[in-house]
Amino acid sequence: MYRIIISIFLLASFSSSKAQMTVDASTPLKKLINAEQALFYLYVDSVDEQKTVEYAIRGMLKELDPHSTYSTPKEVEDMKTPLEGSFEGIGVQFNMIEDTLVVIQPTMNGPSERVGIVSGDRIVSVNDTAIAGVKMAQRDIMKRLRGKKGTTVKLGIIRRGVSGILDFIVTRDKIPVKSIDAFYMVRPDIGYIRIGNFGSTTHREFMEAVVTLQERGMKRLIIDLQDNGGGYLHTSSMIANEFLDAGDMIVYTEGRTIKRQDFRADGRGSLKQLPVVVLLNEFSASASEILAGALQDHDRAPIIGRRSFGKGLVQRPIEFSDGSMIRLTVAHYYTPTGRCIQKPYTKGQLKDYEMDIENRLKHGELTNPDSIHFDDSLKVLTLKRQRVVYGGGGIMPDEFVRLDTMQYTRFHRLIAAKSIVMNSALKYIDNNRKMLKRTYQSFDDFSANYEVPQSLIDEIISEAEKKGIRPSDDDELKRTIPYLRNQLKALTARDIWDLSEYFHIINEQNHIFQKGLEIIQADQYF
């Protein structure tokens, strides 16, 4: 009825003797509504009203802060999956090799494993529709494999050593999505846990990892938050709670219309005496900064690495009936000492904000601690030992680790960016999976004795040559090989075992990790 009345009003106005519209724009909201109605009913060409409204919403939000955003229903669905802790599907880890989906690992006790699907299987059809060799987008393949719990899907599979196509009927189920990327023992008494994001199950996963590591003899812990983009505040607070005393502030939030809300430890944490260090880099953001800031401010853990991203704005989800959503910034995060985590920004200037990391590199902040200067007004003291820490955006580490821009050569970066390394590794592992599993009965055996074959290195160099990518000279190639071998060994370990084994190997050349290990072994902060 409302639209009909507006339509009659607009059409009447348009056909008036003055041949122009006159609308009541006495309030900004009425002005916005009338503008949308004018476009829909009077514009010379047809208008997609849904898109027009979305453009208007995005336009409004664009003039605010960098983290107030609008998401379509599909974007909302994709965004929730890694944080909610599960999705519904067939339960396989896979990679695409030459337009064919190859199973890396079926989820343990998941729907695919239960019907007999194994590592190395190639899924070539879904419900009798070919998905291999037809240039189908990965998103479209995922749509066909995922579905509601209890529904069935027919998979056509090619298996090495078996002629023809094997048919499997898989009943979809809930598939867990883990937010703990890896955990393992670094030394006989030092454990390591890498948190990929803070989702609904992260605290439970974290404590399960802690228990496992304690059973293996852990007395000290490295928490790795490198590249952790954040997630749920309450989950980050739950993990901080495990390390802090009763009443200790974890974080507080405050905004123009949002009253201050304090998050404090309840004193029931089980890790209050455990020595811990935290690893951060320039891509650690939001919830990861809350955890790091709380432990730093209470002198509970030294922070190792580089200044974190600086995302300290609280978004409130505003959901619409079609499943779309606005995430509107309503408050700021503050660490226990009152430091605002959010780095400075200018409203509406998103490009400058997006260039921040690149600007840090240009200005030398990522490579040289002497280039980092703070105003005295940003100086604050930690709550227990009265150490100096700084505000001004992000979490500044206690121990700076410079970014080694020479660690990975130009040649290595190019062959990685063109997926030559990944594709060659996947083919090698796919062809040799049975041999590798038969030869190396344990990861310890693999870690100590496996060497990347020279033939794989030669193949990568040859593939690069075909794409016109060459090392600038013999010295660049010589500097590339050790890091390339380590990367290939880590990728092989990942596909035979899991991400824990991948990080066990890749961390050997991670400078932030190595500094964290040095600090926790030296006991200088404990």
Side-chain angles (χ1 to χ4, degrees):
M1 177 62 71
Y2 171 76
R3 170 157 285 170
I4 294 172
I5 293 172
I6 290 289
S7 176
I8 293 171
F9 169 74
L10 289 171
L11 291 173
S13 299
F14 185 76
S15 60
S16 66
S17 58
K18 294 183 179 181
Q20 64 181 19
M21 286 174 49
T22 56
V23 296
D24 179 5
S26 58
T27 69
L29 179 59
K30 286 182 179 179
K31 185 176 182 179
L32 181 64
I33 293 172
N34 289 336
E36 189 274 336
Q37 294 292 323
L39 286 176
F40 183 75
Y41 286 106
L42 301 177
Y43 185 63
V44 62
D45 296 319
S46 61
V47 174
D48 185 326
E49 190 174 17
Q50 180 69 29
K51 287 187 177 180
T52 300
V53 171
E54 289 180 355
Y55 292 150
I57 294 172
R58 293 184 195 274
M60 288 189 292
L61 298 178
K62 185 179 179 181
E63 297 305 312
L64 304 178
D65 65 277
H67 298 291
S68 289
T69 59
Y70 170 81
S71 301
T72 65
K74 177 58 180 170
E75 290 168 340
V76 171
E77 181 184 341
D78 292 343
M79 180 173 59
K80 285 182 175 180
T81 297
L83 296 179
E84 291 302 324
S86 67
F87 64 92
E88 295 176 350
I90 66 169
V92 294
Q93 295 179 37
F94 70 90
N95 274 307
M96 300 299 294
I97 301 179
E98 296 178 344
D99 295 329
T100 301
L101 187 155
V102 178
V103 176
I104 301 304
Q105 285 182 346
T107 303
M108 186 177 296
N109 199 34
S112 290
E113 185 184 65
R114 288 196 291 266
V115 299
I117 293 172
V118 298
S119 299
D121 282 351
R122 286 161 164 72
I123 302 178
V124 296
S125 66
V126 179
N127 289 331
D128 296 322
T129 298
I131 64 168
V134 293
K135 303 291 185 183
M136 184 178 290
Q138 188 166 318
R139 169 172 281 190
D140 293 332
I141 294 175
M142 295 292 291
K143 277 183 182 179
R144 295 173 185 273
L145 295 176
R146 290 186 178 181
K148 290 186 177 180
K149 177 181 177 180
T151 60
T152 60
V153 59
K154 179 183 176 183
L155 304 180
I157 284 178
I158 292 178
R159 179 173 296 171
R160 284 184 180 276
V162 179
S163 61
I165 295 178
L166 305 175
D167 289 330
F168 290 86
I169 304 297
V170 181
T171 301
R172 298 182 179 98
D173 203 346
K174 279 194 173 293
I175 310 300
V177 177
K178 294 183 179 181
S179 55
I180 300 296
D181 288 340
F183 66 93
Y184 63 91
M185 293 298 294
V186 181
R187 296 290 185 269
D189 67 336
I190 300 175
Y192 167 91
I193 300 177
R194 181 182 176 93
I195 306 176
N197 63 59
F198 290 92
S200 60
T201 63
T202 306
H203 177 256
R204 174 178 57 77
E205 291 178 45
F206 179 82
M207 294 310 297
E208 288 173 354
V210 165
V211 170
T212 299
L213 294 176
Q214 287 176 330
E215 290 173 350
R216 297 175 186 174
M218 180 182 71
K219 298 292 187 291
R220 292 174 284 180
L221 175 63
I222 298 171
I223 298 177
D224 191 349
L225 301 178
Q226 293 178 86
D227 304 320
N228 181 318
Y232 294 142
L233 178 151
H234 75 274
T235 304
S236 177
S237 298
M238 289 169 69
I239 294 177
N241 182 70
E242 297 292 343
F243 295 92
L244 300 176
D245 294 325
D248 283 350
M249 178 76 72
I250 296 172
V251 66
Y252 67 91
T253 63
E254 193 170 17
R256 180 178 64 88
T257 62
I258 304 298
K259 292 182 179 180
R260 172 168 166 162
Q261 183 177 7
D262 294 350
F263 296 80
R264 295 182 179 273
D266 60 17
R268 293 182 292 180
S270 61
L271 306 175
K272 290 184 286 185
Q273 304 304 317
L274 182 71
V276 59
V277 303
V278 175
L279 313 182
L280 283 183
N281 66 8
E282 58 275 15
F283 299 108
S284 307
S286 189
S288 60
E289 296 174 294
I290 290 171
L291 174 57
L295 298 187
Q296 185 182 49
D297 281 6
H298 288 288
D299 294 290
R300 188 62 188 81
I303 309 302
I304 317 298
R306 294 183 289 275
R307 180 165 68 97
S308 61
F309 183 84
K311 196 274 186 184
L313 298 175
V314 184
Q315 279 74 51
R316 173 171 292 176
I318 301 170
E319 299 182 359
F320 297 105
S321 58
D322 65 351
S324 61
M325 175 192 295
I326 287 177
R327 290 175 56 80
L328 187 67
T329 296
V330 296
H332 286 86
Y333 293 121
Y334 297 89
T335 73
T337 58
R339 292 183 289 166
C340 180
I341 295 172
Q342 179 61 42
K343 61 188 175 185
Y345 63 89
T346 302
K347 289 183 178 179
Q349 300 298 314
L350 297 186
K351 185 174 182 180
D352 289 344
Y353 190 82
E354 292 167 354
M355 294 292 288
D356 176 62
I357 301 297
E358 186 172 331
N359 289 334
R360 292 191 204 185
L361 180 60
K362 288 179 180 178
H363 298 154
E365 179 185 328
L366 302 183
T367 56
N368 187 355
D370 293 336
S371 68
I372 305 170
H373 303 286
F374 290 100
D375 190 283
D376 284 345
S377 64
L378 300 175
K379 184 188 299 184
V380 297
L381 299 177
T382 59
L383 299 171
K384 300 283 194 308
R385 300 182 184 177
Q386 303 294 291
R387 295 184 302 108
V388 173
V389 292
Y390 290 91
I395 303 298
M396 176 58 67
D398 300 290
E399 296 284 343
F400 176 81
V401 180
R402 72 182 186 89
L403 176 66
D404 185 354
T405 57
M406 299 297 290
Q407 182 176 13
Y408 295 102
T409 65
R410 176 200 61 88
F411 178 64
H412 194 167
R413 290 195 298 271
L414 285 175
I415 60 176
K418 295 292 185 180
S419 299
I420 296 171
V421 175
M422 181 64 74
N423 290 338
S424 296
L426 290 174
K427 290 178 187 177
Y428 164 77
I429 296 162
D430 188 45
N431 291 331
N432 295 278
R433 182 176 282 107
K434 288 184 179 179
M435 178 275 291
L436 290 166
K437 288 185 174 181
R438 185 171 59 249
T439 304
Y440 301 101
Q441 298 294 313
S442 69
F443 172 70
D444 288 341
D445 182 20
F446 175 89
S447 180
N449 298 306
Y450 174 78
E451 293 185 6
V452 173
Q454 184 61 40
S455 59
L456 178 54
I457 302 293
D458 293 341
E459 179 186 331
I460 289 172
I461 295 172
S462 175
E463 286 298 314
E465 178 85 19
K466 292 176 184 176
K467 295 181 183 293
I469 303 171
R470 303 172 184 85
S472 57
D473 52 35
D474 289 342
D475 180 63
E476 183 179 33
L477 180 60
K478 185 178 179 181
R479 288 187 290 113
T480 299
I481 297 302
Y483 294 103
L484 178 59
R485 285 189 183 278
N486 185 258
Q487 182 183 11
L488 291 168
K489 184 173 181 177
L491 289 169
T492 303
R494 182 200 67 179
D495 282 7
I496 296 176
W497 288 280
D498 210 335
L499 275 173
S500 289
E501 288 73 22
Y502 170 87
F503 281 104
H504 200 141
I505 293 172
I506 211 71
N507 280 338
E508 294 174 10
Q509 295 179 338
N510 183 302
H511 295 161
I512 292 178
F513 170 83
Q514 293 299 329
K515 185 64 175 180
L517 179 58
E518 175 191 322
I519 294 297
I520 202 166
Q521 287 179 310
D523 284 338
Q524 67 184 82
Y525 283 89
F526 309 104

